């Protein structure tokens, strides 16, 4: 329960702080960004991202301040959601150019989530590490970006490096493990045939956020250890969890190491 509360609070805080504080620009003497920011301060509440009114409002703000990074990022979202990835990248590259600290993490996450551009995502995450102490969370709040970076390394076949990054992040003081951190760690251990550490990670995942996928992998570990009885028991429990809706979900894409019902049911 403690983990759920911490994550919910962090997501709420992130959502509330999505719009920049216009007066911060004014405080630092950046009158152009202040003016552009004020022009779109309430636009998100009035118009949908795909609407002409929304896009034109940000166009006018960018005309006032050509280096208004937030404006480029906000315009880019509609292109990302509509599948126009070329225009999304043009706009996001401009956002990053004018404000790396606020936009490298988001661009890196999108490169991972939507394009499976694992190398490009790693470049963005590691460049951001040079600028800030904590590179923050994914846009959807599912992962700390260090875990996302580890997933990218895992996808590129660098399993030991992925494990090292996840373990280092989990050992950070006051870091609340994310929804899927221990699951991703467990799967990575499983893939290098370290079944003992895989089981430890899966058991930890069960304590934080029970998942059908997690029980399925516990079943696989037991199978590798020649314990068919426990393997079948956990597989059946995984099926029940899946039916209850306790599995990995994403509104736009599929999670890394996602397991589907047919895989569990047919084994």
């Amino acid at each position: 329960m403690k983990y759920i509360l911490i994550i919910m609070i962090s997501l709420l805080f992130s959502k509330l702080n999505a719009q920049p504080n216009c007066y911060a620009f004014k405080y630092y003497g950046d009158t152009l960004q202040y003016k552009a920011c004020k022009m779109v301060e309430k636009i998100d509440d009035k118009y949908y991202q795909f609407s002409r009114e929304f896009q034109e409002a940000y166009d006018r703000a960018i005309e006032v301040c050509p280096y208004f990074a937030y404006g480029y990022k906000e315009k880019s979202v509609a292109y990302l959601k509509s599948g126009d990835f070329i225009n999304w990248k043009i706009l996001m590259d401009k956002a990053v150019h004018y404000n790396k600290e606020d936009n490298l993490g988001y661009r890196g996450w999108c490169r991972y989530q939507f394009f499976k551009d694992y190398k490009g995502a790693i470049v963005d995450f590691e460049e951001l590490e040079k600028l800030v102490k904590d590179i923050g969370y994914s846009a959807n709040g599912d992962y700390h970006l260090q875990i996302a970076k580890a997933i990218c390394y895992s996808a590129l076949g660098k399993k030991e490096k992925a494990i090292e990054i996840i373990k280092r992040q989990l050992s950070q003081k006051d870091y609340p493990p994310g929804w899927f951190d221990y699951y991703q760690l467990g799967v990575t251990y499983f893939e290098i045939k370290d079944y003992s550490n895989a089981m430890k990670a899966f058991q930890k995942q069960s304590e934080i956020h029970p998942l059908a996928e997690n029980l399925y992998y516990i079943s696989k570990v037991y199978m590798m250890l020649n314990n068919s009885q426990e393997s079948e028991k956990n597989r059946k429990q995984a099926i029940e969890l899946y039916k209850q809706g306790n599995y990995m979900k994403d509104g736009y894409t599929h999670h890394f190491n996602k397991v589907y019902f047919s895989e569990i049911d047919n084994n």
Side-chain angles (χ1 to χ4, degrees):
M1 196 66 191
K2 177 183 73 173
Y3 298 116
I4 295 173
L5 181 60
I6 292 173
I7 291 170
M8 287 180 68
I9 290 172
S10 66
L11 288 177
L12 177 60
F13 184 82
S14 174
K15 181 68 175 175
L16 291 173
N17 285 274
Q19 169 80 33
N21 183 344
C22 298
Y23 289 98
F25 295 127
K26 188 176 185 179
Y27 177 81
Y28 288 108
D30 193 336
T31 54
L32 286 183
Q33 283 212 78
Y34 169 72
K35 186 175 180 180
C37 183
K38 292 296 288 183
M39 290 173 68
V40 296
E41 193 171 35
K42 304 295 183 183
I43 206 72
D44 295 13
D45 299 329
K46 294 173 65 177
Y47 300 111
Y48 188 48
Q49 292 162 329
F50 287 88
S51 70
R52 175 182 293 181
E53 293 85 354
F54 182 95
Q55 292 292 325
E56 289 180 347
Y58 276 95
D59 286 339
R60 289 191 293 271
I62 289 170
E63 284 178 10
V64 168
C65 180
Y67 57 89
F68 185 40
Y70 178 77
Y72 292 110
K73 179 183 178 181
E74 286 300 291
K75 277 182 61 66
S76 78
V77 174
Y79 291 101
L80 181 68
K81 290 180 177 179
S82 64
D84 185 348
F85 301 134
I86 293 175
N87 279 305
W88 170 81
K89 189 172 186 304
I90 290 171
L91 290 164
M92 269 312 301
D93 286 352
K94 287 183 178 179
V96 170
H97 175 73
Y98 291 121
N99 188 335
K100 290 185 176 182
E101 287 190 18
D102 288 350
N103 295 297
L104 271 171
Y106 176 73
R107 187 178 70 177
W109 171 254
C110 289
R111 289 172 113 171
Y112 154 71
Q113 184 185 21
F114 295 100
F115 311 115
K116 306 307 178 216
D117 177 13
Y118 304 117
K119 291 182 179 178
I122 289 170
V123 168
D124 279 351
F125 297 148
E126 294 187 345
E127 186 175 353
L128 184 58
E129 286 173 348
K130 298 173 185 175
L131 303 174
V132 297
K133 185 177 180 180
D134 185 342
I135 62 175
Y137 285 81
S138 62
N140 61 10
D142 283 345
Y143 294 103
H144 191 281
L145 292 179
Q146 288 291 350
I147 306 297
K149 185 177 76 169
I151 289 172
C152 290
Y153 274 113
S154 179
L156 293 171
K158 299 181 179 180
K159 306 295 180 181
E160 287 82 3
K161 187 170 183 65
I163 290 169
E164 175 191 337
I165 294 169
I166 297 175
K167 287 176 65 179
R168 184 168 62 243
Q169 183 60 31
L170 288 170
S171 70
Q172 295 297 307
K173 184 181 179 182
D174 298 327
Y175 172 70
W179 288 116
F180 312 110
D181 291 4
Y182 279 103
Y183 172 72
Q184 297 293 357
L185 178 62
V187 173
T188 314
Y189 271 126
F190 183 87
E191 290 173 330
I192 64 170
K193 300 181 180 180
D194 184 345
Y195 302 124
S196 176
N197 279 316
M199 182 64 87
K200 290 177 184 177
F202 292 138
Q203 289 171 341
K204 197 71 174 165
Q205 176 67 44
S206 291
E207 295 173 10
I208 296 171
H209 183 41
L211 293 167
E213 289 91 345
N214 193 62
L215 280 179
Y216 174 67
Y217 264 95
I218 289 177
S219 170
K220 286 166 70 74
V221 171
Y222 277 121
M223 184 60 69
M224 299 307 298
L225 299 176
N226 297 313
N227 189 335
S228 58
Q229 184 175 350
E230 282 297 320
S231 176
E232 181 63 10
K233 173 185 170 182
N234 280 276
R235 188 185 73 84
K236 288 181 177 178
Q237 289 177 345
I239 290 173
E240 290 307 308
L241 268 187
Y242 218 110
K243 289 178 178 178
Q244 294 167 17
N246 295 321
Y247 55 87
M248 301 174 86
K249 307 180 186 78
D250 187 277
Y252 295 104
T253 58
H254 300 283
H255 276 275
F256 189 71
N257 288 323
K258 166 74 180 164
V259 178
Y260 298 92
F261 183 81
S262 59
E263 296 176 72
I264 304 172
D265 192 40
N266 293 333
N267 278 3

